[in-house]
Amino acid sequence: MLAITLYAHFGIERKMEKLRDSMGVIENVPQQDVRRVAFNRMHVWSERMEGSVFVCGLVLFSWW
């Protein structure tokens, strides 16, 4: 769980911040823009990782 959280924070979220800074207001960037596509893809993976950490936590809690 810790490894997933660290990778999500220091890997994916840092890249997302750089893309967001380069785009300005994300809603004004077209959906087909390469930066927006990359940001959306990373956002999906970030949510998946956070969800997997949550599920792992529930499993560990239920075993305890």
Side-chain angles (χ1 to χ4, degrees), residues 2-61:
L2 182 60
I4 293 170
T5 301
L6 289 173
Y7 179 72
H9 180 70
F10 291 110
I12 294 176
E13 289 180 18
R14 298 288 166 110
K15 291 177 186 176
M16 288 173 62
E17 287 176 8
K18 289 179 184 177
L19 282 172
R20 185 175 36 212
D21 291 342
S22 72
M23 289 187 284
V25 180
I26 295 176
E27 289 79 23
N28 295 339
V29 178
Q31 290 287 336
Q32 298 80 15
D33 188 288
V34 175
R35 298 171 298 170
R36 178 95 184 244
V37 171
F39 180 86
N40 290 341
R41 186 176 54 244
M42 283 188 268
H43 189 265
V44 168
W45 276 105
S46 174
E47 288 179 343
R48 288 178 182 167
M49 290 179 152
E50 290 174 10
S52 66
V53 169
F54 179 72
V55 170
C56 287
L58 288 177
V59 168
L60 287 174
F61 184 73

